[in-house]
Amino acid sequence: MFPLMLRAVTCSLAIAFVAPVVAQDQPAATNPTSTVRPNIVWIMSEDNSKHYLKHFDETGVETPAIEAMAARGITFDRAFSNAPVCSTARTTLITACYGPRIGTQFHRRTELATLPRGVEMFPVWLRQSGYYTTNQSKEDYNAKKRLQPWDDSSKKASWKNRPSDETPFFHVVTFADSHEGRLHFGVDALQKPTKFDQKSVSLPPYFPDTQVFRHTAAFYRDRMSIIDEKVAGVIEQLTQAGELENTFVFYFGDHGGVLPRGKGYIYESGLHVPLVVRVPENYRGLVDRELGSRTKGFVSFIDFAPTVLNLAGVPLDEAGPIDGKAFLGKHTDATEVDSRDTTFGYADRMDEKYDLVRSVRVGDWKLIRSFESFQPDAMWADYRYKMLAYQQWRARYHTGKLNAVQSQFFKPRPPELLFNLADDPHEVNNLAGDPLHGDRLTELRMTLTEHLKRTNDLGFLTEAGMLKILDEPVANGKRLSQEIARYIDTANIAVMPWDQANKALLSAINSGDMLQRYWALVAASSIAASNRSANLDMAADDTFLKLVRRRALDPEPLVASRAAQLAAILQVEDPRPVFQRTLQLSQSSTEALQIFNMVRHVNALPGTPYPMGSKLFRLPFQPAPQGLIQQHLDHLDLP
């Protein structure tokens, strides 16, 4: 090993190194200065927010290995995934780009997006500068690879296989012991003891206090103890090889979760992840913080890639037009990082369930904007409801055994949710309607809207529309920036006072732009579901109803289906003939999948006079036997 002083001096020289581009199937050449650069290891645990580790939350389990890392490093108390589910979160990590900007925001995407010009999956830049890059072994990306980011990505991938002991390495290992699927146990499992005390386990106020929930919460903390043992194993391997003090080790969750209202939802339980970075003694000079310190500066997944590149001495301008910025390394300042206080979140389709939601958190204040707020959070997704806790929560709601807070998950949401996390960490007390916080609401609304427009959020093209531009999503987003801004403004009619929204809706529903009509109907549905007075006004307004009926005949299936959905919410028209026609005319399986979400929503309306079963519908294609559309059809026939 090089002496500490020599390593520190030569590391700064590596910053200026730019390696030549290599072909995708050509192994990266070894950098002559590679022996002086740090190794970097990412340890990811699947599906866990920060709430299950005592190091971050007093209700969590002790994790001695992670806590030992923190004693020799830095704890980031406010680290966030930008998306609350695997593929979207992992794509953000590997690209350092917001998913809705580059077309990678749909979980279980229909098609892979093409990366923006100048952007690569960031280990490419490490390989080209001489690093040996390995991934064990989960990828789950929503974008096409251009250049090859990994020397090895497999179950056997290991940094130990690098060409020589002097070759620096970047290694990623993902542990699935905390994955959602571990909670898909049967009722017999409830009789088995848990190491974590079920009597003392803490439940958030939105959960019913039952044996199922206590067992599930305690059992999941046991899973985090297993994760901690796996972390200890990685540290031991590095120690035995004499590489621990040459290696930055990151531990973090790959997004939040996994108890109900976690994974897939952009509450803190879905986005707020644990992050600890162990700082190696031989590279202590790259970090201007005390070991064992904590920071409340905001960092999010868009920032992880530039941080690794910065620590590795790879010029950040090599990473292309990314969204994040480094939070460790030579070119960062701890005081500046500590001052960072803003993060953005996004949730779109998760498996078969569509729900376009965006969020911004500034300090302890958070705004969640639900653009399809007429749908409850509890909208069905097969994989979610394999968990006993989800099943019991739903059953108790339908039998009237939940209180008001516990019932929120099953009811239509307000279009805007404003939370003061300092007083309300579980996000159950919506302050959006409180005049005392009107200025705060306006400020956060403007911040979020400006962000959506600046990033040309492709979610407002709908998934079916976005598929048409995935060859160059960013360039096309810029080309369509004015249209996207108009769709965002149209969708935001839902948060206008009703006397202003009424006139704006009539104009937008009558627009010649298909997507403006679409978002106007979505906004009207949000208003109808959240504002009883507006609902009655719409249902009694002949001019408005004539326009909705006209839109139900719209040649665009998605527009007509939204009109039918609105008519069902208002209970002024049977939507079934429209759904039958639009599904027969649907131009793609993606379009049909979204229409089936509308069918399922109407079918689940309390006391709906419009019940629907699978035999009601004919499709212009044969759905895949185990596919998402077939899941919708099968569920329509359940009692």
Side-chain angles (χ1 to χ4, degrees), residues 390-452:
Y390 265 111
Q391 294 171 19
Q392 187 188 65
W393 198 12
R394 183 172 181 266
R396 291 178 75 88
Y397 173 73
H398 287 295
T399 53
K401 296 179 180 178
L402 300 180
N403 62 32
V405 170
Q406 294 162 359
S407 298
Q408 289 175 352
F409 188 73
F410 301 91
K411 295 183 176 181
R413 299 155 289 172
E416 292 179 313
L417 296 167
L418 177 67
F419 300 114
N420 179 357
L421 298 172
D423 299 330
D424 180 24
H426 296 294
E427 298 163 285
V428 297
N429 183 24
N430 181 22
L431 302 175
D434 188 337
L436 292 176
H437 303 294
D439 289 344
R440 180 80 64 173
L441 175 63
T442 299
E443 178 185 354
L444 289 178
R445 180 191 294 161
M446 291 175 62
T447 299
L448 180 58
T449 299
E450 191 275 333
H451 169 76
L452 300 181

Side-chain angles (χ1 to χ4, degrees), residues 326-395:
F327 53 81
L328 289 175
K330 281 286 188 181
H331 301 291
T332 62
D333 176 74
T335 302
E336 186 277 325
V337 174
D338 290 345
S339 70
R340 298 182 191 179
D341 66 352
T342 302
T343 185
F344 295 97
Y346 45 87
D348 292 79
R349 179 167 63 78
M350 185 178 69
D351 299 333
E352 73 270 35
K353 181 179 78 72
Y354 278 92
D355 192 14
L356 196 154
V357 190
R358 301 290 184 261
S359 69
V360 59
R361 176 174 171 176
V362 179
D364 284 327
W365 286 89
K366 182 173 178 181
L367 175 66
I368 297 177
R369 176 72 174 90
S370 301
F371 287 92
E372 298 169 270
S373 61
F374 43 87
Q375 297 180 161
D377 281 326
M379 278 287 288
W380 187 273
D382 273 13
Y383 198 73
R384 297 293 83 75
Y385 283 90
K386 292 181 185 293
M387 192 188 301
L388 286 181
Y390 265 111
Q391 294 171 19
Q392 187 188 65
W393 198 12
R394 183 172 181 266

Side-chain angles (χ1 to χ4, degrees), residues 111 463-471 476 556 587 591:
E111 293 181 16
E463 186 178 14
M466 194 186 76
L467 292 179
K468 301 173 184 177
I469 64 165
L470 278 185
D471 57 333
N476 283 311
E556 294 289 346
Q587 300 172 22
E591 191 172 69

Side-chain angles (χ1 to χ4, degrees), residues 15-315:
I15 299 290
F17 176 81
V18 180
V21 176
V22 298
Q24 179 168 344
D25 57 354
Q26 178 183 342
T30 301
N31 175 15
T33 65
S34 61
T35 55
V36 301
R37 292 188 288 167
N39 310 313
I40 300 160
V41 170
W42 280 4
I43 306 172
M44 281 192 271
S45 52
E46 293 201 67
D47 297 3
N48 66 281
S49 62
K50 61 102 178 178
H51 305 87
Y52 305 109
L53 289 76
K54 192 171 185 178
H55 185 64
F56 292 90
D57 191 303
E58 63 182 10
T59 70
V61 66
E62 292 183 356
T63 49
I66 295 169
E67 291 163 18
M69 281 181 57
R72 296 293 304 169
I74 305 144
T75 297
F76 292 83
D77 284 316
R78 293 183 171 181
F80 304 92
S81 173
N82 299 101
V85 69
C86 300
S87 66
T88 49
R90 286 173 170 270
T91 306
T92 303
L93 280 169
I94 204 70
T95 63
C97 296
Y98 289 116
R101 184 175 74 85
I102 66 172
T104 60
Q105 72 270 35
F106 293 101
H107 181 59
R108 298 298 164 252
R109 71 286 181 280
T110 304
E111 293 181 16
L112 294 172
T114 300
L115 287 172
R117 295 177 185 178
V119 172
E120 298 285 350
M121 296 184 181
F122 81 90
V124 164
W125 308 115
L126 293 171
R127 286 189 80 210
Q128 292 183 357
S129 69
Y131 271 76
Y132 183 71
T133 63
T134 49
N135 177 54
Q136 191 189 70
S137 61
K138 184 170 182 176
E139 293 187 354
D140 204 9
Y141 308 139
N142 290 339
K144 301 173 187 175
K145 296 173 184 174
R146 248 194 312 260
L147 300 179
Q148 177 55 250
W150 305 112
D151 286 289
D152 188 7
S153 180
S154 69
K155 292 181 179 180
K156 296 182 178 180
S158 172
W159 54 270
K160 297 178 182 179
N161 298 327
R162 65 198 191 279
S164 73
D165 290 346
E166 286 72 38
T167 303
F169 57 84
F170 173 60
H171 179 64
V172 177
V173 58
T174 300
F175 293 125
D177 302 83
S178 53
H179 188 271
E180 177 178 10
R182 305 289 181 166
L183 300 187
H184 292 174
F185 47 72
V187 292
D188 292 345
L190 299 177
Q191 306 307 315
K192 299 178 181 179
T194 56
K195 292 181 180 179
F196 197 95
D197 183 13
Q198 295 181 31
K199 293 181 180 179
S200 64
V201 76
S202 176
L203 295 175
Y206 48 81
F207 286 162
D209 190 349
T210 68
Q211 182 201 6
V212 169
F213 273 88
R214 286 193 167 274
H215 179 95
T216 304
F219 179 79
Y220 194 71
R221 284 163 173 80
D222 289 351
R223 307 309 300 177
M224 294 311 303
S225 294
I226 295 173
I227 292 294
D228 191 63
E229 293 172 1
K230 297 290 182 73
V231 170
V234 174
I235 297 296
E236 179 61 20
Q237 288 181 21
L238 291 166
T239 302
Q240 291 297 322
E243 292 292 351
L244 182 61
E245 298 307 335
N246 297 324
T247 307
F248 284 92
V249 183
F250 290 58
Y251 163 72
F252 56 99
D254 74 342
H255 55 74
V258 69
L259 270 67
R261 214 189 83 149
K263 182 177 180 178
Y265 300 96
I266 59 177
Y267 301 106
E268 293 297 285
S269 53
L271 294 179
H272 198 156
V273 298
L275 172 62
V276 169
V277 180
R278 189 188 187 281
V279 178
E281 183 61 33
N282 292 340
Y283 291 91
R284 183 72 184 82
L286 287 178
V287 175
D288 60 341
R289 293 184 184 275
E290 293 295 322
L291 298 186
S293 63
R294 307 180 80 115
T295 174
K296 293 188 180 298
F298 281 36
V299 299
S300 61
F301 277 11
I302 57 169
D303 303 318
F304 282 45
T307 299
V308 169
L309 294 174
N310 196 34
L311 290 171
V314 177

